[in-house]
Structures are given as C-alpha cells and as structure tokens.
Amino acid sequence: QVQLVESGGGLAQPGESLRLSCVASGMIFSINALGWYRQGPGNQRELVAEIRGVGAVYGDSVKGRFSISNENVPNQANLQMNNLVPEDTAVYYCKGLIQGRTYWGQGTQVTVSS
C-alpha cells in the first residue's frame, strides 16, 4: 500500500514563508506525478504545484511566490511558500499519481492571518 505523509504548515502572517513536505512510501515502482493541491473555505480543490514528467507546473495564483522541488529524490515533494497572503489560507493536500493510481494525503492546514 502507498502512503503519502505530509509535514509542515501552520500559521503565518502575510508576507511570511512556510514550507510543506510530502513523502511517498510503500511499494513504489514508478511515480508519474507528485505535488500539492489546496482547498480553501467554500472553494473547490485546486492545483498549487506539481512535479510531472515534463517538469514542475504551478497554479496561476501562486506563480512567482511558491516553488516545488524534490532535491532529486523522486518520492518527495517539498513546497516552499513565500510572500504568503490571506487568500493562501486552505487545507493543503499532497497528491500522488503512482503506478497509475491517485493517492491523497490527509491534508495539513495553512492559515495566513495578521
């Protein structure tokens, strides 16, 4: 069984930074994509950033502020979030497309407030 374990998140003030990490574990032979989505209050779940075969892709609202990396370790996805704004407040979920199946982490809360 594949598991996605998330860490990081919490409370930040506008303009501050936070870092999220996701590690995929279990019987893993191939990872097609690994990244982060978020769901804010009253909103649908949306793409934040994801590492795919073609490289990293970002949601429009985070381009230039967030960056995703795996430090050359394919089963991890680290999300560096800079210049946070209140609209970034959401539950952030790690998502993996692994061996043709989609897996989700349990989610971690990010709150941006002064």
Side-chain angles (χ1 to χ4, degrees):
Q1 183 66 293
V2 173
Q3 288 186 325
L4 302 179
V5 179
E6 302 152 334
S7 61
L11 176 65
Q13 294 189 347
E16 292 185 339
S17 300
L18 287 174
R19 181 178 174 88
L20 304 180
S21 293
C22 173
V23 177
S25 63
M27 293 292 288
I28 297 173
F29 303 103
S30 66
I31 298 177
N32 305 105
L34 188 63
W36 290 91
Y37 287 67
R38 70 185 181 186
Q39 187 165 13
N43 295 333
Q44 292 186 336
R45 196 169 295 189
E46 63 175 1
L47 168 70
V48 177
E50 191 168 59
I51 300 172
R52 302 175 181 173
V54 295
V57 294
Y58 295 90
D60 289 340
S61 62
V62 306
K63 287 180 181 177
R65 300 188 298 122
F66 291 11
S67 64
I68 191 169
S69 65
N70 62 12
E71 281 76 41
N72 292 321
V73 179
N75 68 324
Q76 71 178 20
N78 303 314
L79 183 68
Q80 179 66 38
M81 305 184 291
N82 297 327
N83 194 20
L84 286 161
V85 298
E87 292 73 23
D88 294 321
T89 295
V91 178
Y92 285 68
Y93 297 91
C94 182
K95 176 192 171 186
L97 179 59
I98 299 171
Q99 283 134 216
R101 294 185 60 182
T102 297
Y103 297 87
W104 291 94
Q106 292 189 330
T108 183
Q109 177 70 44
V110 171
T111 301
V112 184
S113 175
S114 55

